[in-house]
Amino acid sequence: MNCPHTTVVIDPMVQDLDGETEQLRASAPLARIELLGVPAWTVTRHAEARRLLLDTRLVKDLGAWGLWQSGEVTHAWPLIGMIDAGRSMFTVDGEEHRRLRAKTSQALTPRRLEAIRPAIEQFTEGLLDELAEQGKDGAVDLKSVFAQPLPMRVVGLLMGVDEALHPMLTRQYKAFFSMLTPQEERLALLAELDVFYAELVREKTAHPTDDLTSALILADEGGEPLTEEEVVGNLKAMVAAGHETTIGLILNAVRALLAHPAQLRKVLDGEISWETVIEETLRWDTPTTHLLMRFATEDIEVGDQVIAKGEGVVISYRAIGRDTTQHGDDADAFDITRPTPIRHMTFGHGPHICPGAALSRVEAGIALPALFGRFPGLRLAIADEEIRKLPVMTQNDMEAFPVLLHG
């Protein structure tokens, strides 16, 4: 039996992310939320999230959503593109998910990641040169010059996409995620992305090269090959999740370190590893705030609450990362000196754990020490409280991150 609850309205303009996180935690382990007029549940505590992410009664199949079945939610809803995203490993479960994910695992192996490390280092150094040039006379935007183009170049290299097309992809995804984009325009750009990826897949089918797209097409493990729709769906979602997550990870880590100079000094002096910085950033200021969505195929009890059959469930990773029952009473504090290993779930848990997690960590592990190695006096060019979030309900992203390179 569900207890009385207060509905937390998730702000599309993201004006007070800390306040929203606190509201969600107050209703832990489940909070009732409203996403642009659509009700759902969200899980906000680490232990319950781990269990639910393994619960086979929660599925990605849009057809299991009661509001979709009844027609109360349609393609007019601005967030539908994140759920009805075509057939891929992100939208199916069970055996079909294992089949589609096996293909991606073949294409995104540790060996492939290690092979592209020199390229990531080269991209990083080139962008740092550009940052130095643009910032030599004053403030420069760390996001647009460094943190944003780096992961797009990396994912472009993996996919085999010409660098000249990267600005187009960046614009398309920015418009897709923004709550300021009219829904008709969002649906149109999704159709354009489908055409772009379909043409890429056809080109790589005819002329395969050493890249992720060709590997997905040619992967032969796990039964029948992927269809064009499946390759397109996997690529579209992987690019969206991959580059956005890494942008957030890099910027959130820089912001946290600049706000905690004593901790930054420990890192620069070699007392604390960059790996620890990355893991604490992932826990404390998650790149993904809310992950949409899973649907209950039968009633699911969570404590004294019940997720009814057909209801939607969101995973609120930012609230989970600050769960005091998991991380202690100081969970709201950024602290790279924590005495215990930092165990978080920012990249998910279970079968649908993010396939690009290792890539994101590799990129941040190269970018952050290189950035501070080149500019140890880096500081914000504005007050921290003046940084504005982008109007994106699912990603923890900033409009800009202006810095001065030399204190």
Side-chain angles (χ1 to χ4, degrees), residues 166-370:
H166 295 179
M168 177 275 294
L169 284 174
T170 299
R171 288 193 303 271
Q172 293 285 73
Y173 280 105
K174 180 179 179 181
F176 167 71
F177 282 113
S178 175
M179 290 297 99
L180 298 179
T181 302
Q183 182 63 354
E184 285 188 8
E185 183 180 330
R186 182 179 288 105
L187 293 174
L189 70 85
L190 279 174
E192 291 171 13
L193 283 171
D194 282 338
V195 170
F196 168 79
Y197 286 116
E199 290 177 350
L200 175 66
V201 170
R202 290 166 194 161
E203 175 190 340
K204 296 296 181 180
T205 300
H207 307 286
T209 53
D210 184 22
D211 54 55
L212 186 147
T213 304
S214 301
L216 282 175
I217 295 165
L218 297 172
D220 57 5
E221 183 180 305
E224 60 186 285
L226 299 188
T227 65
E228 179 181 291
E229 178 193 5
E230 290 167 343
V231 176
V232 166
N234 273 7
L235 289 174
K236 186 169 62 174
M238 287 173 68
V239 174
H243 86 279
E244 283 288 338
T245 298
T246 307
I247 293 169
L249 172 54
I250 292 171
L251 291 180
N252 292 344
V254 173
R255 184 179 188 182
L257 289 171
L258 294 184
H260 299 83
Q263 295 188 51
L264 173 58
R265 176 45 51 194
K266 289 181 181 293
V267 180
L268 297 181
D269 289 345
E271 297 177 33
I272 303 289
S273 71
W274 284 104
E275 179 184 1
T276 299
V277 172
I278 289 168
E279 297 310 313
E280 176 67 351
T281 301
L282 287 168
R283 177 200 71 80
W284 182 70
D285 204 10
T286 56
T288 300
T289 46
H290 309 291
L291 188 66
L292 313 185
M293 187 180 287
R294 288 168 168 79
F295 311 103
T297 57
E298 59 183 84
D299 290 357
I300 301 173
E301 292 186 10
V302 181
D304 56 7
Q305 304 276 48
V306 175
I307 302 169
K309 178 180 178 180
E311 290 190 310
V313 178
V314 173
I315 312 297
S316 288
Y317 283 115
R318 195 171 194 274
I320 291 166
R322 299 194 180 196
D323 176 12
T324 56
T325 61
Q326 172 69 20
H327 302 293
D329 291 340
D330 64 344
D332 280 326
F334 176 81
D335 184 5
I336 57 176
T337 68
R338 291 179 182 277
T340 57
I342 302 162
R343 294 189 175 92
H344 61 78
M345 297 193 311
T346 295
F347 287 119
H349 181 64
H352 284 280
I353 192 169
C354 176
L359 176 61
S360 189
R361 285 183 168 106
V362 167
E363 291 179 64
I366 292 171
L368 290 169

Side-chain angles (χ1 to χ4, degrees), residues 23-45:
Q23 278 188 284
L24 292 173
R25 288 193 312 181
S27 299
L30 286 180
R32 197 68 172 158
I33 61 171
E34 182 182 299
L35 298 163
L36 300 177
V38 172
W41 290 102
T42 188
V43 57
T44 64
R45 201 150 60 191

Side-chain angles (χ1 to χ4, degrees), residues 99-155:
R99 169 180 163 266
L100 295 179
R101 190 177 177 102
K103 309 295 185 180
T104 305
S105 298
Q106 284 180 269
L108 199 60
T109 61
R111 182 178 178 181
R112 183 179 292 270
L113 292 183
E114 198 56 37
I116 67 168
R117 179 181 286 273
I120 300 174
E121 293 170 346
Q122 182 180 354
F123 293 154
T124 299
E125 290 305 313
L127 290 170
L128 289 176
D129 290 342
E130 190 172 335
L131 192 68
E133 177 63 25
Q134 293 198 30
K136 63 184 179 181
D137 296 322
V140 58
D141 180 16
L142 187 67
K143 178 180 178 179
S144 63
V145 180
F146 182 70
Q148 184 167 273
L150 176 61
M152 184 54 78
R153 287 189 186 182
V154 174
V155 80

